[in-house]
Amino acid sequence: MTEANPRISKAVIPAAGLGTRFLPATKATPKEMLPVVDKPAIQYVVEEAASAGLDDVLMITGRNKRPLEDHFDRNHELESALEKKGDGSKLAKVQESSDLATIHYVRQGDPKGLGHAVLCAAPHVGNEPFAVLLGDDLIDPRDPLLQRMVEVQEQHGGSVIALMEVAPEQIHLYGCAAVEATEDGDVVKVTGLVEKPDPADAPSNYAIIGRYVLAPQIFDVLRKTEPGRGGEIQLTDALQQLAADEKVGGPVHGVVFKGRRYDTGDRGDYLRAIVRLACEREDLGPDFRTWLRSFVAEEM
């Protein structure tokens, strides 16, 4: 590790979206607070950052996101009630979220896209590399993707994005990367990026998923990036500039992820994520799997 590649300690979690795909549930409740089994989705993301050694977390929020702050704050009345009842198990669960990391908050204000949300983190991040975690992608803790990305960034400098191979007909749903192989089997060099291309125009079937480790030079690029697809400032467009000219902010590499990922950004995938995670829980799995087999057999 050199001074050019200091140890990464900060994570940015954009959480200003309106969650329109989950209306009416998200009319008054942030989508990040929707439960995945018995924890809100956002807690899984913060746990992932903390497990990778990123204990300084900045959430980019918007209006009606106050429940996020309340969830990661102490609730002394609830803790006191649980303590008096002698319910140590529930008390530990309640305290867990407030002890995960040091969490800060800043409002995005205008919903101008992911690139603009990341730019809101510039005063907090300063001139050091940092991670960005999107809350719709939950990565199984048994598959330490973010930790691997941090290692690659410390080795190569520049920026690192998470990639996943998808079916060609699905690539229009994602940002897409043109890549070159490296000596490491799970690492590729990114030579180009395009946001949600038509399948016929896609340079590969490597899709960008919601994990990034970014060089601080991304902020200067984002300040000059014009609105792109959807009229929003796209992070993908800014990364494309870094990939096209390494002098701007170092190379862009990709870590090809083949582990377990739970997509909670779509209603169907959200339900499937809950079922998968519940089936794997030691406390819930055995009974739930038995019921699920019976239910499927009856429905079939």
Side-chain angles (χ1 to χ4, degrees):
M1 200 184 315
T2 67
E3 289 187 5
N5 301 325
R7 176 67 188 177
I8 299 170
S9 63
K10 295 179 179 178
V12 175
I13 303 177
L18 297 176
T20 54
R21 286 180 289 183
F22 283 84
L23 287 170
T26 50
K27 179 181 178 181
T29 301
K31 70 171 183 175
E32 296 84 6
M33 289 300 297
L34 294 180
V36 181
V37 188
D38 54 4
K39 288 190 295 190
I42 192 70
Q43 183 169 333
Y44 289 87
V45 180
V46 175
E47 288 173 351
E48 180 186 354
S51 294
L54 282 62
D55 56 3
D56 185 329
V57 175
L58 175 68
M59 289 192 190
I60 312 299
T61 67
R63 294 187 62 191
N64 301 323
K65 299 288 184 170
R66 181 60 185 271
L68 293 175
E69 299 184 35
D70 291 340
H71 178 72
F72 291 101
D73 197 1
R74 298 291 298 273
N75 186 328
H76 295 286
E77 291 182 358
L78 177 58
E79 291 178 23
S80 177
L82 292 172
E83 192 171 8
K84 289 178 180 178
K85 291 172 62 176
D87 197 335
S89 176
K90 286 190 175 71
L91 177 62
K93 290 180 179 179
V94 168
Q95 293 176 331
E96 182 181 12
S97 60
S98 57
D99 295 336
L100 283 171
T102 301
I103 303 180
H104 313 267
Y105 305 88
V106 63
R107 285 198 175 192
Q108 184 177 5
D110 296 323
K112 296 180 180 179
L114 177 58
H116 180 260
V118 171
L119 186 55
C120 292
H124 180 80
V125 169
N127 190 34
E128 59 185 89
F130 64 103
V132 174
L133 298 84
L134 305 189
D136 288 345
D137 284 330
L138 304 188
I139 305 299
D140 194 293
R142 293 168 293 185
D143 302 311
L145 169 62
L146 186 59
Q147 182 176 331
R148 175 59 175 151
M149 294 174 68
V150 169
E151 292 172 355
V152 172
Q153 198 281 333
E154 291 176 346
Q155 179 181 358
H156 295 286
S159 298
V160 182
I161 62 177
L163 300 175
M164 179 183 69
E165 290 190 77
V166 300
E169 61 270 19
Q170 292 183 319
I171 197 64
H172 71 283
L173 301 173
Y174 300 87
C176 177
V179 303
E180 295 177 351
T182 71
E183 294 180 355
D184 293 321
D186 64 335
V187 178
V188 293
K189 185 174 182 180
V190 177
T191 59
L193 294 159
V194 59
E195 180 69 18
K196 297 182 178 179
D198 291 330
D201 300 325
S204 74
N205 65 331
Y206 283 107
I208 305 169
I209 59 175
R211 297 294 181 270
Y212 308 81
V213 177
L214 302 175
Q217 289 84 353
I218 193 73
F219 295 129
D220 290 333
V221 177
L222 283 169
R223 292 185 183 100
K224 301 173 184 177
T225 300
E226 296 293 328
R229 192 178 183 93
E232 297 182 336
I233 298 174
Q234 297 289 348
L235 180 59
T236 303
D237 293 343
L239 284 166
Q240 160 60 23
Q241 295 186 50
L242 295 183
D245 185 0
E246 293 186 12
K247 295 179 181 179
V248 175
V252 178
H253 286 85
V255 171
V256 180
F257 182 63
K258 296 182 179 180
R260 287 155 285 201
R261 167 181 173 260
Y262 312 105
D263 184 355
T264 62
D266 171 83
R267 288 175 298 174
D269 285 336
Y270 170 74
L271 294 173
R272 285 185 281 272
I274 292 174
V275 171
R276 290 173 64 185
L277 287 168
C279 283
E280 295 181 355
R281 286 270 295 263
E282 292 183 1
D283 57 338
L284 297 173
D287 289 342
F288 185 66
R289 289 194 299 269
T290 299
W291 173 85
L292 189 60
R293 292 189 190 100
S294 175
F295 174 77
V296 171
E298 290 174 3
E299 290 298 308
M300 294 298 287

